[in-house]
Amino acid sequence: GINAEYGGLFARMFNREGDASKEPEGKPGKPAGDGETSFGNIVPKKKWYHKMCITIEAPKLEQIKKWTVNNYKFTKQLVSEKFGHSTKTVDKDLGTRIEELRASKQQYANMLREARTMYTRFEALVTTHRNIRAQFQTLIAHAPDLQDQLQANATTQSILEKNGEGLLGAIKQFGDTLNTLVNVTIQDTLLTIKNYENARIEYDAYRNEVAALQNQPQTDANTNKLLSLQVVYETRKKRWEKLKTDSHTKLDLLGENRSAVMKSQLEMFNTA
């Protein structure tokens, strides 16, 4: 059958069959070959590829079918909306908040990029202060006539180095906070929003399908199909409404957290 066919294929691919000269000799009193003697009959041993084929689990066709149907409905609704052939549910308040969040994320991402650039360049400047201070102190022993001037400049560079390290630490903390805000906190909220947007498309796909079916002749087949479809529609509607509520909640919490954290960090950065 199928296992034997795949078995022969795997055997040819991996040269597992070998030739007869490499087969182990039979035990005394038993015929030579790859089987065992049982009541005068040769019982073939199971090959490795037979075992492998047996352990392969059959695909869950029902789950694949459901995924295919849902994916088709989702894509169809999305394309229909793009071309204006289908209606979609719009929440203006939530939509405005989502647009503002995405714009804010871009602004904070730009600030994060500049903070990282500032840190890199200022770190190089602090290193330069440190190196030139060391050179001034080293030169004192070789130029006694310039000792006072060299020491004064070394002291100045030491002060600049110390103050620079303090500002460098503040820049790093500011950048780390921005990174957490942009790539963790805001991103987590956007993930919930993405799930909400996908749920909205699925909900509208079933809503439009139910509406279209209701306008068709009320035959027994259509009535049964409509009843079945309305069950799925209600499930999608509840999921969409829950994710809409979750999105509002995440946006509220994000706004409070962002305001408190950024006020603290901006004050610290200004003081440094």
Side-chain angles (χ1 to χ4, degrees):
I2 295 176
N3 285 347
E5 181 181 352
Y6 280 113
L9 176 61
F10 288 141
R12 289 194 296 273
M13 290 174 62
F14 296 98
N15 296 321
R16 295 298 298 265
E17 288 291 332
D19 51 55
S21 61
K22 296 181 181 180
E23 291 293 333
E25 296 181 358
K27 297 180 181 179
K30 296 182 180 182
D34 62 349
E36 296 289 342
T37 302
S38 176
F39 299 104
N41 297 321
I42 301 296
V43 181
K45 290 182 178 179
K46 289 185 177 180
K47 298 293 185 180
W48 63 276
Y49 44 78
H50 288 162
K51 295 180 181 179
M52 187 185 72
C53 292
I54 291 172
T55 57
I56 295 176
E57 185 178 355
K60 298 179 180 179
L61 296 179
E62 190 62 28
Q63 291 184 2
I64 295 176
K65 180 181 177 181
K66 288 182 180 180
W67 178 87
T68 304
V69 170
N70 289 335
N71 192 54
Y72 167 75
K73 292 179 183 294
F74 181 94
T75 305
K76 180 183 177 182
Q77 175 66 24
L78 191 60
V79 172
S80 297
E81 290 177 4
K82 294 291 184 182
F83 289 96
H85 299 156
S86 179
T87 61
K88 68 177 182 178
T89 304
V90 177
D91 187 320
K92 292 184 178 181
D93 178 46
L94 182 56
T96 300
R97 297 185 70 184
I98 291 173
E99 290 179 2
E100 291 176 352
L101 174 61
R102 285 174 173 151
S104 296
K105 182 189 178 184
Q106 185 60 50
Q107 294 300 320
Y108 282 115
N110 293 340
M111 189 184 298
L112 173 59
R113 184 182 64 251
E114 296 301 329
R116 286 171 171 170
T117 301
M118 184 179 184
Y119 180 85
T120 300
R121 295 179 179 177
F122 201 75
E123 184 181 33
L125 180 60
V126 171
T127 300
T128 302
H129 284 307
R130 184 181 300 112
N131 292 339
I132 197 170
R133 183 258 305 162
Q135 290 300 318
F136 284 145
Q137 291 176 334
T138 301
L139 191 58
I140 290 175
H142 300 281
D145 55 318
L146 300 175
Q147 179 176 354
D148 293 340
Q149 291 79 9
L150 289 170
Q151 186 59 53
N153 278 275
T155 301
T156 300
Q157 294 302 317
S158 179
I159 293 173
L160 291 172
E161 176 190 347
K162 183 177 180 180
N163 292 338
E165 287 176 344
L167 180 56
L168 198 62
I171 296 172
K172 185 178 186 305
Q173 183 176 346
F174 183 69
D176 290 343
T177 301
L178 280 175
N179 181 66
T180 301
L181 177 64
V182 172
N183 296 316
V184 178
T185 310
I186 293 180
Q187 191 61 34
D188 177 68
T189 303
L190 287 175
L191 179 60
T192 300
I193 290 172
K194 182 65 176 177
N195 292 333
Y196 155 75
E197 291 173 336
N198 289 341
R200 195 276 307 163
I201 295 174
E202 291 180 356
Y203 159 67
D204 278 341
Y206 282 96
R207 177 180 61 80
N208 289 325
E209 190 172 354
V210 167
L213 195 58
Q214 286 174 338
N215 293 328
Q216 294 182 6
Q218 298 302 308
T219 62
D220 291 341
N222 286 344
T223 301
N224 293 334
K225 184 178 180 181
L226 181 60
L227 291 174
S228 176
L229 198 60
Q230 283 178 330
V231 173
V232 182
Y233 161 75
E234 290 296 333
T235 302
R236 294 296 188 274
K237 182 180 179 181
K238 289 179 181 178
R239 182 172 183 269
W240 166 69
E241 290 175 341
K242 181 182 182 302
L243 285 169
K244 182 171 69 170
T245 302
D246 291 346
S247 297
H248 275 294
T249 303
K250 284 285 186 76
L251 286 168
D252 291 339
L253 294 174
L254 174 63
E256 296 173 1
N257 179 66
R258 177 196 56 79
S259 179
V261 170
M262 288 307 299
K263 280 181 181 180
S264 174
Q265 288 299 310
L266 288 170
E267 289 174 0
M268 178 274 298
F269 189 59
N270 184 59
T271 302

